[in-house]
């Protein structure tokens, strides 16, 4: 393989456009083509980045080494399977697929063909989270919040669990060195046909617990992750890019020592795509590989299943009481 990786982007919606920009700007990439079912969209992006416009991802076979897939989730497995069958490495936007069974199929295909299968959990590439990960040692309790105002039309075809919460499910599981043993969920639709707000509790095999909240009907944006360890509290503010560390102070007059660090911002998607290209070039494993993406999806689905079963029981009790 040459030093410059031949790449393409399939799916040019809101996020796919950013993938195309980063592929075009990355000095290790040769962006060969952009692909979208809408020919006009593909043509506009191709003209912007000086590459070919395609409407069928199958036309990429034999022409590229690696592809970003940013099509709707329902098409992830089919498009990835087509490209991987042709020996093409893939970076798939989160969630990795619609079902865990589909994710497992892609994992088997990647292993059999010796391909990179990376999943776009972008927060792992945030500069503020990377510093937090270096500081955290043995979490006892984690609390994640990811809420914001309603933005009609964006990702409202899926549950907020798959739209927003899955980011934090992935992050807390990456910080706890133990498997998830129990999943509890609570959620309800407000303005769409699926959960617009949800809460989850994960219990890990080592006793650690994580509470995760997501909402797309909140009044303001709040994206924080708090990690409690023995004698230390870490707070990661993703919006402000600030890490706060609270610990036992050295004097009675100052019982709590507070250390606040502003972390320089980096382009998280740029970091993610740069790692993908490096993995393809060097044969290394990605930070967020297919197995990690599949586990995040598995837990997210358990959250939704428990939330919907709980809501069903509550509705049934309400009808019985009314009767």
């Amino acid at each position: 393989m040459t030093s410059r990786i031949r790449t393409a982007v399939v799916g040019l919606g809101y996020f796919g456009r950013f993938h195309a920009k980063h592929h075009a700007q990355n000095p290790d990439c040769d962006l060969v083509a952009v692909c979208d079912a809408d020919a006009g969209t593909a043509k506009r992006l191709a003209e912007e980045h000086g590459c070919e416009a395609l409407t069928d991802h199958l036309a990429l076979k034999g022409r590229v080494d690696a592809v970003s897939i940013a099509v709707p989730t329902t098409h992830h497995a089919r498009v990835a399977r087509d490209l991987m069958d042709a020996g093409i490495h893939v970076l798939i936007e989160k969630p990795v697929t619609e079902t865990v069974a589909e994710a497992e199929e892609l994992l088997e295909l990647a292993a059999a063909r010796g391909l990179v299968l990376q999943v776009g959990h972008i927060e792992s590439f945030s500069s503020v989270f990377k510093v937090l990960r270096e500081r955290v040692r043995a979490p006892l309790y984690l609390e994640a919040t990811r809420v914001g105002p309603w933005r009609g039309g964006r990702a409202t075809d899926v549950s907020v669990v798959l739209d927003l919460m899955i980011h934090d499910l992935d992050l807390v599981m990456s910080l706890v060195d133990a498997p998830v043993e129990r999943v509890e969920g609570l959620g309800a639709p407000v303005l769409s046909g699926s959960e617009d707000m949800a809460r989850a509790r994960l219990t890990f095999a080592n006793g650690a617990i994580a509470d995760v909240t997501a909402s797309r009907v909140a009044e303001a944006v709040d994206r924080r992750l708090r990690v409690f360890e023995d004698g230390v509290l870490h707070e990661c503010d993703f919006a402000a890019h600030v890490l706060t560390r609270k610990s036992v102070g050295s004097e009675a007059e100052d019982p709590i020592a507070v250390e606040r660090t502003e972390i320089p911002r980096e382009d998280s998607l740029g970091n993610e795509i740069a790692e993908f290209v490096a993995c393809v070039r060097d044969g290394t494993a990605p930070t967020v590989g297919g197995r990690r993406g599949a586990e995040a999806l598995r837990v997210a689905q358990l959250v939704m299943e428990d939330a919907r079963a709980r809501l069903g029981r509550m509705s049934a009790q309400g009808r019985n009481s009314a009767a």
Side-chain angles (χ1 to χ4, degrees):
M1 187 174 294
T2 61
S3 58
R4 282 172 63 85
I5 307 301
R6 300 171 301 165
T7 68
V9 177
V10 179
L12 303 174
Y14 176 79
F15 222 60
R17 296 166 188 260
F18 295 115
H19 275 263
K21 182 187 77 169
H22 283 292
H23 278 268
Q25 293 178 347
N26 189 307
D28 295 323
C29 287
D30 177 12
L31 181 61
V32 172
V34 290
C35 179
D36 193 89
D38 186 306
T41 297
K43 184 174 183 294
R44 286 192 298 272
L45 267 291
E47 290 174 350
E48 181 179 340
H49 299 303
C51 63
E52 186 176 353
L54 299 173
T55 56
D56 186 353
H57 65 280
L58 295 175
L60 293 169
K61 292 184 176 183
R63 301 181 58 193
V64 298
D65 306 303
V67 170
S68 276
I69 298 174
V71 298
T73 303
T74 52
H75 302 303
H76 280 189
R78 175 178 60 84
V79 173
R81 190 185 307 113
D82 287 343
L83 296 173
M84 293 169 74
D85 276 335
I88 297 170
H89 305 272
V90 296
L91 164 58
I92 308 176
E93 263 306 325
K94 64 82 189 166
V96 56
T97 49
E98 194 171 23
T99 69
V100 174
E102 290 173 334
E104 293 290 345
E105 182 183 353
L106 295 186
L107 278 164
E108 291 178 6
L109 184 55
R113 299 299 298 269
L115 297 171
V116 174
L117 170 57
Q118 183 170 330
V119 185
H121 284 279
I122 192 172
E123 291 290 22
S124 282
F125 296 89
S126 164
S127 56
V128 68
F129 180 75
K130 287 191 288 186
V131 177
L132 174 69
R133 186 171 52 205
E134 292 171 357
R135 295 183 178 184
V136 169
R137 295 291 179 265
L140 300 173
Y141 174 68
L142 306 92
E143 183 180 58
T145 302
R146 187 173 299 264
V147 303
W150 175 255
R151 296 176 181 173
R154 183 195 170 277
T156 53
D157 58 326
V158 299
S159 168
V160 73
V161 175
L162 294 178
D163 178 24
L164 299 179
M165 182 184 281
I166 196 169
H167 284 296
D168 293 310
L169 295 175
D170 173 66
L171 294 181
V172 299
M173 288 190 290
S174 75
L175 291 173
V176 179
D177 187 22
V180 175
E181 201 168 61
R182 183 180 179 189
V183 177
E184 299 169 86
L186 173 67
V190 180
L191 297 176
S192 74
S194 58
E195 293 86 5
D196 293 312
M197 59 75 57
R199 291 187 176 179
R201 167 163 285 195
L202 310 185
T203 302
F204 295 87
N206 65 355
I209 290 175
D211 285 327
V212 184
T213 300
S215 173
R216 53 191 177 202
V217 289
E219 292 186 1
V221 172
D222 187 7
R223 295 188 295 139
R224 300 172 194 264
L225 173 58
R226 298 176 178 88
V227 183
F228 297 79
E229 299 186 282
D230 188 11
V232 179
L233 163 62
H234 304 277
E235 180 175 285
C236 177
D237 188 327
F238 289 97
H241 263 245
V242 170
L243 279 181
T244 303
R245 183 182 189 276
K246 298 180 180 180
S247 58
V248 178
S250 57
E251 300 178 5
E253 301 83 33
D254 186 17
I256 300 178
V258 179
E259 175 188 346
R260 186 176 183 274
T261 308
E262 293 188 19
I263 308 300
R265 293 179 184 270
E266 298 176 1
D267 192 311
S268 302
L269 182 58
N271 289 344
E272 180 180 85
I273 290 173
E275 184 190 87
F276 175 53
V277 172
C279 289
V280 171
R281 184 188 61 231
D282 304 332
T284 52
T287 299
V288 186
R291 175 57 61 194
R292 179 165 155 182
E295 181 63 7
L297 175 62
R298 183 186 73 84
V299 173
Q301 289 186 336
L302 290 174
V303 172
M304 292 186 293
E305 289 171 9
D306 193 59
R308 291 168 187 177
R310 190 183 306 272
L311 188 61
R313 291 194 299 270
M314 294 172 67
S315 297
Q317 289 173 1
R319 290 193 298 270
N320 293 336
S321 297

